[in-house]
């Protein structure tokens, strides 16, 4: 039998043909079976062969390209068809006398077993795979591997779905007949089952036809006992062909199959590092379609294509690339991230500088996550789980701030999962040289380089100079281009003359034009810098940004411009501007900043840190939509959200009181020119004669270099690095002796703080003896281990300058923790660094203190602040008793937060404490983030077990600071308090409601909601819902799984060994 099977495989090939209508198939079948001929006199094999040839001669009745053709491009009734092969096999086998007895039963069993075996190898369920939502668990359960089988070697290669369904039923029936040889079961995947369940069978009576040629071969007892296998196959397949059309179209099936093939091609391409890429940079064409649908990107720039096809990128080497602002850097990073998530099946970390940018990026990529089957997780502020949830099926894209990214990498190293991180993308890489945040970023990248050889690092920036140093540090290749989608022209304005920046000119600039705006004497006093002349050349038809040195100057300039602008500007998009004012009132409980109330009707607004999150988001949306045409803003906008303009004006070459740096200048002017809208972008720097020379030097000098901040930022730099390395059980290797003194000093500091403990020294000389500096190499080997306090500090990401103070405060709190109100807990989670910068208003302090309940006043006494002290400070009396200033300031900020949690209205709290609402918003977000850190700190110290449950709830309250019913809606990225209240009032009261919402209905229901925002909200909600459902499902499976250390399993493995 085995020889017969192999002989059939060599002789038979599956041949593709033009699709034929069902009528032609039945016509061919009837002609072949009912026409008697001279061939009956020949032997059995000749009969079968000639009958098949005659069948092939019958021409199709008509050519129908129908989606109901379940046989696809194959004719299963024709020559070399599967049916013909079965018939041939049966005829050959029955010729042998010793096999005539029970021949049919054996043929059925063997052929069925072979078919199931081959079918398992060659048929793959692509239903779920095509949408890139790959359910690996289902695949594992069904026991399938996606194996490529040569069509010439397998008679069941790519057979139609009707035959697959038949073999499933036939295999079941053969098992029922008592075949003990076949043990395979549940071979079909879940997608096959679905198809089977959704195909209602058309109960048309099937014609019973006889095969005279076959009956001559069979014995009469065989014929009576059972129909031939061939008849059984033929009748069943004919019935399947007549069955009702599936619920999905043939076109959709073809698209899904194509998508599955593209994914497999992409996988093989990346694994083999070949230049033969897939349809869209090794990604399925669906990704390209999604970019067109969600972002309107139809074609990549030439530099983007060149960068994505670099050999270093294909070989997965680390890469740094630098282009001017607005050059399209982020798109390249996104495509590389999608390659890692979908093709290499690894997690990805993207590090961004600010919380606002993290949230913007999550909103933009959530739609891709829903469509392509991966999770997008936020690690910013108080959000993020350490270590991250380990997922077996879908992969995760972690989008994190610098601080949260560092904590995430620490947790992955500690749990030995760092190799699951396939790619790390760092935006604004130049920040590695900026203060404490730069030190943290440097530590993060250094740990990844040291602990994982498989993790690729991609860094991008618009303002890099000493790239060679960064290349050496990151062991990276470098790519750069001066491409800008919109040409940028730089100008300088001195008095009423405008000069164009020209590097070829002798003094760096050439005369351009004179301003021809007519100024009265009064107007000159109001606007000495001729801002009105510069602004009115652009607005209201185009947009303009005016960068100002300070927050107060932003508001003053906005008001000044609106006082001079003519009334004609009020008519431009008047209705839309009225809506903006209305929505600002709605999100602020009826409150509205008087400056914005005056300026918005003219299409002007200010943008700085003094705005609340809701206000900032609404104003940015109005600017992007063209309702607002001018922003007066601080330099933070240049490094933050992407808001381009036709013209960018720098009010002065200063940021606060410091002279402008080249990096800052480049960031600001980079906002000029909107791709796809403007043909050119303009930047104008206004300067006084006294600053002329300094400005000319500024525009001609190179960008500032990036230098390591590890040593400069001591407690947040080198000491934190050493503490975490010892905590993560990594060795510290010093190649340069110049680092030895720094190391000794850092380790002494950490030991004195109780964060490290010195173990037995491996040499005779002590650790801190300075004469060891000149000792032999052996004398540099010392052993430390991290203390519980040290581990809690680095796991909680606590600044080492404050970790001992935090421990003392928490320890003291255990002696008399006041739980009658939240005040005591809020005090413990108020950020230390914000307290040091606080300047209390003593009259307000005393008024608030006197309004406290006895229990709340007891909190003040416990921390060491008396009412008598506050009273004396308020009345200006001299104080003899010394009181810790930081404790007093921290308690004051605790009052602000406590009042805010009770009232949940930033405006009323701002008025009560005479503080800018933006500052209160920053205080709240800072407290939420610090509360999360304190929670992780307490989780590492058993003595603080009582704080754990309390801090979980407090962190949630501080994060959202709204009524409890709005919290589920605010979990969705991009939904702030104002929007959450709108959604709740419209009936969307839960995450499930949002996930199932129709974006078109949302647009009509919710005021001032664009189609893009509605789609992002729904996508984010769906992603969050899927994430929660998957986490629960994995928890259930984990509970039901047999433990790997189960006694019986361990014993049996020992016996086998």
């Amino acid at each position: 039998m085995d020889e017969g099977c192999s002989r059939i495989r060599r002789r038979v090939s599956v041949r593709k043909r033009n699709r034929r209508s069902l009528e032609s198939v039945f016509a061919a079948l009837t002609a072949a079976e009912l026409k008697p001929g001279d061939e009956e006199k020949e032997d059995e094999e000749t009969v079968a062969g000639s009958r098949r040839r005659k069948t092939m001669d019958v021409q199709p009745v008509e050519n129908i390209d129908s989606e109901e053709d379940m046989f696809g491009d194959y004719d299963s009734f024709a020559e070399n068809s599967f049916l013909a092969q079965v018939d041939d096999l049966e005829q050959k086998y029955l010729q042998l006398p010793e096999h005539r007895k029970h021949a049919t039963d054996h043929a059925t069993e063997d052929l069925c077993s072979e078919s199931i075996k081959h079918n398992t190898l060659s048929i793959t369920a692509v239903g779920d795979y095509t949408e890139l939502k790959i359910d690996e668990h289902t695949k594992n359960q069904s026991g399938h591997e996606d194996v490529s089988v040569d069509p010439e070697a397998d008679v069941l290669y790519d057979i139609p779905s009707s035959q697959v369904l038949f073999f499933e039923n036939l295999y079941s029936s053969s098992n029922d007949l008592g075949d003990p040889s076949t043990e395979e079961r549940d071979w079909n995947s879940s997608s096959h089952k679905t198809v089977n369940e959704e195909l209602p069978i058309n109960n048309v009576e099937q014609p019973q036809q006889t095969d005279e040629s076959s009956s001559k071969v069979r014995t009469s007892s065989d014929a009576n006992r059972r129909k031939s296998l061939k008849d059984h196959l033929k009748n069943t397949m004919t019935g399947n062909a007549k069955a009702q059309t599936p619920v999905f179209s043939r076109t959709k099936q073809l698209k899904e199959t194509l998508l599955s093939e593209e994914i497999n091609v992409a996988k093989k391409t990346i694994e083999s590092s070949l230049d033969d890429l897939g349809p869209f940079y090794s990604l399925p064409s669906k990704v390209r379609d999604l970019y067109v649908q969600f972002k309107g990107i139809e074609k990549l720039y030439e530099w983007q294509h060149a960068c994505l096809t670099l050999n270093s990128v294909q070989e997965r080497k680390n890469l740094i690339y630098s282009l001017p602002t607005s050059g399209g850097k982020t798109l390249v990073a996104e495509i590389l991230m999608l390659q890692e998530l979908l093709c290499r099946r690894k997690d990805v970390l993207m590090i961004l500088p600010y919380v606002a940018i993290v949230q913007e990026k999550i909103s933009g990529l959530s739609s891709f996550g829903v469509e392509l089957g991966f999770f997008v997780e936020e690690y910013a502020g108080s959000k993020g789980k350490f270590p991250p949830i380990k997922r077996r099926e879908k992969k995760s894209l972690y989008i994190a701030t610098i601080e949260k990214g560092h904590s995430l990498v620490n947790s992955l190293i500690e749990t030995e999962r760092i190799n699951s991180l396939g790619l790390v993308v760092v935006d604004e890489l130049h920040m590695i040289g900026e203060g404490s945040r730069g030190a943290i970023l440097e530590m993060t990248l250094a740990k990844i380089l040291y602990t994982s050889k498989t993790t690729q690092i991609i860094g991008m920036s618009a303002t890099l100079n000493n790239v060679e140093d960064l290349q050496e540090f990151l062991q990276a290749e470098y790519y750069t281009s001066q491409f800008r989608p919109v040409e940028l022209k730089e100008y300088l304005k001195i008095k009423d003359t405008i000069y164009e920046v020209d590097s070829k000119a002798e003094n760096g600039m050439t005369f351009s034009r004179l301003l021809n705006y007519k100024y009265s004497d009064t107007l000159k006093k109001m606007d000495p810098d001729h801002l009105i002349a510069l602004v009115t050349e652009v607005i209201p038809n185009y947009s303009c940004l005016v960068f100002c040195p300070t927050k107060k100057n932003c508001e003053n300039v906005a008001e000044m411009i609106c006082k001079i602008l003519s009334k004609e500007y009020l008519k431009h998009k008047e209705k839309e501007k009225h809506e903006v004012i209305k929505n600002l009132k709605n999100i602020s409980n009826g409150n509205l900043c008087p400056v914005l109330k005056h300026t918005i009707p003219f299409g002007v607004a200010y943008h700085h840190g003094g705005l609340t999150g809701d206000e900032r988001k609404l104003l940015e949306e109005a600017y992007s939509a063209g309702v607002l045409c001018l922003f007066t803003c601080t330099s933070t906008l240049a490094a933050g959200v992407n808001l381009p303009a036709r013209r960018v004006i720098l009010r002065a070459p200063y940021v606060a009181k410091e002279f402008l740096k080249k990096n800052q200048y480049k960031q600001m002017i980079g906002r000029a020119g909107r791709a796809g809208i403007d043909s050119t972008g303009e930047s104008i720097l206004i300067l006084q004669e006294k600053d002329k020379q300094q400005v000319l030097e500024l525009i001609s000098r190179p960008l500032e270099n990036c230098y390591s901040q590890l040593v400069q930022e001591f407690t947040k730099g080198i000491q934190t690095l050493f503490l975490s390395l010892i905590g993560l059980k990594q060795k510290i290797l010093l190649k340069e002796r110049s680092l030895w003194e720094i190391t000794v000093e850092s380790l002494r500091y950490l030991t004195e703080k109780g964060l490290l403990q010195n173990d037995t020294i491996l040499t005779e000389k002590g650790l801190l003896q300075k004469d060891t500096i000149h000792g032999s190499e052996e004398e540099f080997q010392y052993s430390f281990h991290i203390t519980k306090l040290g581990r809690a500090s680095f796991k909680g990401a606590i600044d080492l300058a404050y970790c001992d103070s935090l421990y003392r405060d928490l320890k003291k709190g255990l002696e008399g923790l006041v739980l009658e109100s939240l005040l005591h807990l809020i005090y413990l989670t108020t950020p230390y660094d914000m307290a040091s910068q606080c300047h209390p208003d003593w009259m307000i302090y005393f008024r608030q203190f006197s309004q406290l309940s006895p229990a709340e006043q007891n909190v003040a006494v416990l921390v060491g602040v008396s009412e008598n002290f506050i009273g004396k400070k308020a009345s200006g009396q001299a104080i003899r008793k010394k009181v810790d200033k930081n404790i007093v300031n921290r308690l004051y900020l605790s009052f602000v937060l406590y009042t805010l949690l009770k009232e949940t209205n930033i405006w009323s709290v701002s008025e009560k404490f005479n503080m800018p609402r933006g500052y209160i918003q920053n205080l709240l977000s800072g407290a939420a983030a610090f509360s999360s850190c304190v929670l992780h700190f307490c989780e590492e110290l058993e003595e603080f077990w009582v704080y754990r449950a309390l801090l979980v709830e407090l962190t949630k309250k501080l994060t959202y600071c709204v009524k409890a019913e709005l919290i589920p809606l605010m979990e969705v990225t991009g939904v702030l308090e104002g929007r959450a209240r709108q959604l709740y009032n419209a009936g969307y009261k839960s995450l499930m409601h949002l996930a199932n919402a129709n974006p078109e209905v949302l647009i009509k229901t919710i005021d001032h909601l664009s189609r893009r925002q509605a789609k992002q909200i729904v996508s984010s909600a769906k992603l969050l819902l899927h994430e929660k459902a998957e986490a629960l499902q994995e928890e259930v499976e984990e509970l039901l799984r047999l433990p790997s250390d189960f006694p019986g399993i361990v014993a049996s493995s020992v016996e086998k060994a």
Side-chain angles (χ1 to χ4, degrees):
M1 180 66 190
D2 290 338
E3 291 177 4
C5 284
S6 60
R7 186 163 55 250
I8 289 168
R9 284 195 203 90
R10 284 196 299 273
R11 186 165 55 81
V12 176
S13 65
V14 179
R15 186 167 50 152
K16 278 202 168 192
R17 309 176 53 213
N18 291 331
R19 293 199 290 172
R20 308 164 60 196
S21 66
L22 293 179
E23 289 88 341
S24 65
V25 172
F26 292 132
L29 180 65
T30 307
E33 295 193 348
L34 300 183
K35 179 182 177 181
D38 297 335
E39 292 85 348
E40 292 179 2
K41 297 177 183 178
E42 299 177 11
D43 61 71
E44 289 81 5
E45 183 174 2
T46 308
V47 168
S50 61
R51 179 176 53 77
R52 288 193 298 275
R53 282 192 294 275
K54 288 198 172 191
T55 304
M56 285 296 293
D57 292 335
V58 180
Q59 296 299 318
V61 176
E62 58 178 324
N63 220 353
I64 301 177
D65 186 14
S66 171
E67 291 185 350
E68 297 185 6
D69 179 4
M70 292 176 64
F71 294 100
D73 293 336
Y74 297 91
D75 184 350
S76 302
F77 293 78
E79 183 181 10
N80 287 342
S81 71
F82 177 73
L83 203 60
Q85 295 168 38
V86 171
D87 184 42
D88 196 20
L89 172 64
E90 187 178 25
Q91 299 291 345
K92 282 274 186 186
Y93 192 62
L94 289 174
Q95 285 181 15
L96 303 175
E98 63 269 29
H99 290 301
R100 284 177 183 271
K101 188 177 182 181
H102 304 303
T104 308
D105 290 332
H106 284 261
T108 303
E109 292 169 8
D110 290 344
L111 182 63
C112 185
S113 178
E114 281 292 300
S115 301
I116 299 301
K117 179 180 176 183
H118 288 296
N119 210 28
T120 304
L121 290 170
S122 60
I123 306 299
T124 56
V126 298
D128 293 334
Y129 208 178
T130 56
E131 294 297 324
L132 283 172
K133 300 171 182 173
I134 307 168
D135 193 341
E136 293 287 352
H137 181 65
T138 307
K139 196 168 93 174
N140 292 340
Q141 281 186 329
S142 61
H144 277 295
E145 294 290 329
D146 193 6
V147 179
S148 177
V149 180
D150 187 352
E152 296 292 336
D154 189 356
V155 296
L156 282 178
Y157 182 82
D158 204 17
I159 62 175
S161 56
S162 58
Q163 295 180 26
V164 177
L165 296 174
F166 164 71
F167 274 109
E168 178 187 354
N169 297 330
L170 183 61
Y171 183 54
S172 302
S173 65
S174 69
N175 281 341
D176 293 338
L177 291 171
D179 179 9
S181 62
T182 308
E183 294 292 336
E184 297 180 43
R185 55 195 173 90
D186 194 23
W187 64 276
N188 58 308
S189 70
S190 58
S191 59
H192 284 121
K193 289 179 183 176
T194 307
V195 171
N196 199 21
E197 289 166 4
E198 290 181 354
L199 293 180
I201 302 300
N202 191 357
N203 295 321
V204 178
E205 185 176 350
Q206 300 177 2
Q208 300 297 320
Q209 300 168 345
T210 58
D211 189 336
E212 296 178 12
S213 300
S214 298
S215 64
K216 284 191 174 185
V217 178
R218 296 193 187 91
T219 61
S220 59
S221 59
D222 288 333
N224 292 333
R225 183 165 52 85
R226 187 174 180 179
K227 288 193 299 180
S228 75
L229 176 61
K230 178 204 154 189
D231 278 347
H232 189 49
L233 281 167
K234 183 165 59 180
N235 289 334
T236 306
M237 289 164 66
T238 304
N240 282 339
K242 289 181 177 182
Q244 187 173 328
T245 308
V247 293
F248 47 82
S249 68
R250 174 71 178 168
T251 307
K252 185 178 178 184
Q253 283 181 302
L254 289 171
K255 282 183 179 178
E256 291 177 344
T257 306
L258 175 64
L259 188 60
S260 177
E261 287 174 4
E262 287 177 357
I263 293 170
N264 290 329
V265 167
K267 276 185 176 178
K268 290 174 185 175
T269 300
I270 289 175
E271 287 169 4
S272 58
S273 298
L274 296 177
D275 293 331
D276 182 19
L277 298 179
F280 185 66
Y281 303 100
S282 302
L283 289 165
S285 55
K286 181 174 183 178
V287 176
R288 180 179 54 213
D289 297 339
L290 290 176
Y291 269 108
V292 175
Q293 179 185 342
F294 295 142
K295 299 194 174 186
I297 299 172
E298 297 182 359
K299 188 179 179 182
L300 271 65
Y301 298 130
E302 285 184 15
W303 83 263
Q304 291 171 330
H305 173 76
C307 187
L308 286 167
T309 52
L310 287 171
N311 287 334
S312 54
V313 173
Q314 303 305 312
E315 294 166 9
R316 299 194 75 251
K317 292 181 180 177
N318 294 345
L319 177 71
I320 299 169
Y321 63 98
S322 176
L323 278 100
T325 304
S326 306
K329 296 184 295 295
T330 307
L331 179 60
V332 171
E334 286 180 8
I335 290 173
L336 292 173
M337 291 192 297
L338 291 174
Q339 284 179 358
E340 201 70 33
L341 288 161
L342 304 179
C343 302
R344 299 187 188 97
R345 307 289 298 148
K346 289 285 191 82
D347 295 328
V348 174
L349 168 62
M350 186 178 200
I351 298 176
L352 300 169
Y354 304 110
V355 175
I357 307 178
V358 168
Q359 292 174 342
E360 183 185 23
K361 184 59 64 179
I362 286 174
S363 297
L365 290 176
S366 291
S367 305
F368 287 84
V370 171
E371 293 292 332
L372 300 174
F374 60 86
F375 291 119
V376 182
E377 300 185 37
E378 180 180 350
Y379 279 77
S382 62
K383 294 185 179 179
K385 189 173 178 61
F386 304 102
I389 298 170
K390 190 174 182 179
R391 306 185 189 281
R392 291 192 305 277
E393 296 165 9
K394 294 182 180 179
K395 297 303 170 184
S396 291
L397 168 58
Y398 310 115
I399 302 183
T401 55
I402 292 171
E403 293 78 9
K404 288 291 182 178
H406 183 224
S407 298
L408 179 65
V409 168
N410 278 342
S411 67
L412 289 173
I413 293 172
E414 188 178 27
T415 54
E416 298 181 351
R417 287 168 50 193
I418 190 65
N419 287 325
S420 68
L421 202 60
L423 175 66
V424 175
V425 174
V426 181
D427 194 9
E428 310 295 352
L429 183 62
H430 61 271
M431 289 195 72
I432 202 168
E434 295 182 12
S436 61
R437 305 193 79 212
I440 294 169
L441 180 56
E442 186 179 348
M443 281 190 282
T444 306
L445 296 175
K447 288 174 184 176
I448 293 167
L449 288 167
Y450 184 72
T451 58
S452 175
K453 302 302 178 188
T454 59
T455 304
Q456 184 184 15
I457 296 173
I458 303 286
M460 52 181 170
S461 174
T463 54
L464 284 177
N465 189 32
N466 56 329
V467 178
E468 296 81 6
D469 296 334
L470 284 169
Q471 274 186 269
E472 187 179 352
F473 168 55
L474 294 176
Q475 301 154 30
E477 302 288 319
Y478 179 57
Y479 178 85
T480 185
S481 169
Q482 293 306 311
F483 171 82
R484 267 187 66 93
V486 178
E487 183 188 1
L488 173 62
K489 293 183 178 179
E490 298 176 45
Y491 296 97
L492 304 176
K493 180 193 156 301
I494 305 173
K495 297 182 179 178
D496 60 350
T497 309
I498 293 180
Y499 301 88
E500 184 172 357
V501 174
D502 185 358
S503 57
K504 296 175 183 177
E506 188 177 344
N507 61 351
M509 62 181 188
T510 55
F511 174 80
S512 177
R513 63 189 173 95
L514 288 170
L515 287 175
N516 56 4
Y517 193 90
K518 293 181 180 178
Y519 272 82
S520 63
D521 292 338
T522 310
L523 203 57
K524 280 182 181 177
K525 289 179 182 178
M526 291 177 65
D527 181 22
D529 294 325
H530 306 93
L531 271 174
I532 287 293
L534 296 173
V535 162
T536 51
E537 290 177 349
V538 180
I539 65 169
N541 296 321
Y542 298 100
S543 55
C544 182
L545 295 176
V546 179
F547 284 101
C548 303
T550 64
K551 293 176 186 176
K552 189 63 181 172
N553 191 234
C554 286
E555 297 179 28
N556 292 340
V557 169
E559 281 199 290
M560 180 270 292
I561 289 173
C562 292
K563 283 177 183 175
I564 302 173
L565 286 176
S566 69
K567 303 295 182 184
E568 291 295 316
Y569 287 89
L570 294 171
K571 297 175 183 177
H572 182 74
K573 297 193 175 182
E574 187 176 4
K575 184 180 177 183
E576 290 90 335
K577 287 185 284 197
H578 180 71
E579 282 294 311
V580 172
I581 292 175
K582 179 183 170 186
N583 284 307
L584 280 171
K585 286 182 177 178
N586 288 340
I587 62 173
S588 304
N589 296 315
N591 296 291
L592 180 63
C593 169
V595 177
L596 291 176
K597 184 179 180 180
H598 177 220
T599 62
I600 287 176
F602 288 92
V604 178
Y606 64 84
H607 185 290
H608 58 60
L611 295 167
T612 66
D614 280 318
E615 286 175 321
R616 192 182 303 118
K617 192 172 183 65
L618 206 151
L619 291 174
E620 286 168 2
E621 289 168 1
Y623 178 86
S624 299
V627 178
L628 298 179
C629 55
L630 189 147
F631 266 169
T632 58
C633 48
T634 53
S635 59
T636 52
L637 184 140
V641 183
N642 185 22
L643 293 174
R646 163 66 74 90
R647 178 175 289 180
V648 169
I649 300 169
L650 279 68
R651 172 81 171 71
Y654 292 91
V655 173
K657 294 180 181 179
E658 293 185 9
F659 196 80
L660 202 61
K661 293 179 181 176
K662 183 64 178 280
N663 288 350
Q664 294 170 325
Y665 173 71
K666 282 289 185 184
Q667 288 275 8
M668 290 182 195
I669 68 170
R671 296 296 170 202
R674 297 169 299 172
I677 301 173
D678 299 327
S679 55
T680 59
E682 300 172 338
S683 73
I684 301 174
L685 171 56
I686 300 173
L687 63 142
Q688 307 302 319
E689 194 68 45
K690 64 183 179 67
D691 295 322
K692 180 179 176 182
Q693 194 55 41
Q694 212 171 347
V695 167
L696 290 174
E697 289 174 7
L698 168 75
I699 59 176
S700 60
R701 79 164 71 113
L703 294 161
E704 288 83 10
N705 288 337
C706 288
Y707 294 113
S708 173
Q709 298 295 308
L710 281 174
V711 179
Q712 279 76 8
E713 298 291 331
F714 218 54
T715 58
K716 288 187 177 180
I718 198 82
Q719 293 175 357
T720 302
L721 176 61
F722 287 155
L723 179 67
S724 60
L725 287 177
I726 294 169
L728 296 169
K729 299 178 182 177
Q730 305 292 333
K731 290 181 181 178
I732 300 172
L733 300 175
L734 299 177
K735 293 182 180 178
E736 295 184 26
R737 299 208 170 201
S738 58
L739 289 173
W740 178 244
E741 290 182 0
I742 297 171
T743 305
V744 168
E745 191 176 343
S746 299
L747 295 177
R748 180 197 287 121
Y749 177 88
L750 294 172
T751 307
E752 288 172 357
K753 279 234 173 189
L755 305 173
L756 289 181
Q757 188 169 327
N758 190 2
D759 288 344
T760 306
I761 298 178
L762 302 180
T763 63
E764 295 178 2
K765 298 184 179 181
L767 166 69
L768 302 178
Q769 293 176 359
K770 292 192 176 180
D771 56 350
T772 59
I773 294 172
H774 304 289
S776 66
E777 193 172 327
E778 272 192 353
E779 290 175 329
F780 288 100
Q781 298 178 12
Y782 302 104
S783 178
F784 286 85
H785 74 263
I786 195 165
T787 62
K788 289 182 178 179
L789 177 59
R791 180 168 296 279
S793 297
F794 102 80
K795 292 285 278 292
I798 306 294
D799 188 338
L800 301 187
Y802 307 121
C803 63
D804 50 349
S805 301
L806 176 63
Y807 180 81
R808 284 196 301 270
D809 288 342
L810 291 170
K811 190 80 173 172
K812 192 175 180 181
L814 289 177
E815 297 171 7
L817 188 63
V818 178
L819 295 177
E820 287 184 40
S821 75
L822 288 172
L823 182 60
H824 200 168
L825 279 175
I826 289 170
Y827 172 79
L828 294 172
T829 56
T830 300
Y832 289 92
D833 53 350
M834 293 193 78
S836 62
Q837 302 162 11
C838 174
H839 303 287
D841 183 317
W842 295 108
M843 285 303 297
I844 293 173
Y845 203 158
F846 182 72
R847 194 184 308 125
Q848 292 297 318
F849 200 105
S850 60
Q851 292 173 5
L852 296 176
S853 68
E856 291 164 349
Q857 287 190 357
N858 189 33
V859 173
V861 173
L862 283 170
V863 301
V865 180
S866 66
E867 186 176 8
N868 182 41
F869 170 80
I870 302 298
K872 285 185 176 180
K873 289 290 285 185
S875 60
Q877 296 179 32
I879 298 169
R880 295 175 185 175
K881 189 179 178 182
K882 199 171 182 181
V883 178
D884 191 330
K885 178 186 172 185
N886 286 328
I887 292 176
V888 176
N889 291 356
R890 201 162 171 235
L891 184 64
Y892 183 67
L893 293 181
S894 302
F895 286 175
V896 177
L897 290 167
Y898 182 50
T899 309
L900 185 59
L901 284 185
K902 285 195 295 184
E903 298 184 9
T904 68
N905 185 340
I906 286 181
W907 283 86
S908 63
V909 176
S910 169
E911 190 177 332
K912 192 172 287 185
F913 286 89
N914 194 25
M915 284 180 167
R917 60 194 184 283
Y919 177 82
I920 293 174
Q921 175 104 54
N922 293 335
L923 173 64
L924 182 65
S925 57
F930 188 62
S931 177
S932 174
C933 293
V934 175
L935 172 59
H936 294 305
F937 181 88
C938 293
E939 285 173 344
E940 295 299 317
L941 296 169
E942 189 62 35
E943 60 195 296
F944 295 145
W945 64 271
V946 70
Y947 288 116
R948 294 174 197 168
L950 296 171
L951 289 174
V952 168
E953 288 305 309
L954 180 64
T955 303
K956 189 180 285 188
K957 285 179 181 293
L958 289 169
T959 300
Y960 300 111
C961 191
V962 292
K963 293 178 180 176
E965 63 264 20
L966 297 182
I967 290 178
L969 299 176
M970 290 185 67
E971 287 179 352
V972 178
T973 303
V975 176
L976 300 177
E977 182 184 357
R979 186 73 78 203
R981 195 180 294 112
Q982 284 180 313
L983 291 166
Y984 188 85
N985 293 337
Y988 298 96
K989 300 185 177 181
S990 69
L991 185 62
M992 287 76 79
H993 286 164
L994 275 187
N996 291 290
N998 183 340
E1000 298 301 324
V1001 176
L1002 277 181
I1003 295 166
K1004 296 172 184 175
T1005 311
I1006 308 299
D1007 291 336
H1008 208 73
L1009 183 69
S1010 69
R1011 182 171 279 98
R1012 182 180 62 86
Q1013 293 158 357
K1015 287 180 178 178
Q1016 285 180 349
I1017 287 173
V1018 173
S1019 295
S1020 297
K1022 281 181 180 176
L1023 197 66
L1024 189 58
L1025 195 63
H1026 290 167
E1027 187 180 324
K1028 289 187 174 185
E1030 185 120 343
L1032 289 172
Q1033 189 177 351
E1034 289 185 0
E1035 190 177 342
V1036 169
E1037 289 169 2
E1038 191 66 35
L1039 287 170
L1040 297 177
R1041 187 181 295 111
L1042 190 66
S1044 57
D1045 57 349
F1046 190 72
I1049 296 175
V1050 176
S1052 62
S1053 61
V1054 170
E1055 287 174 10
K1056 286 180 183 178

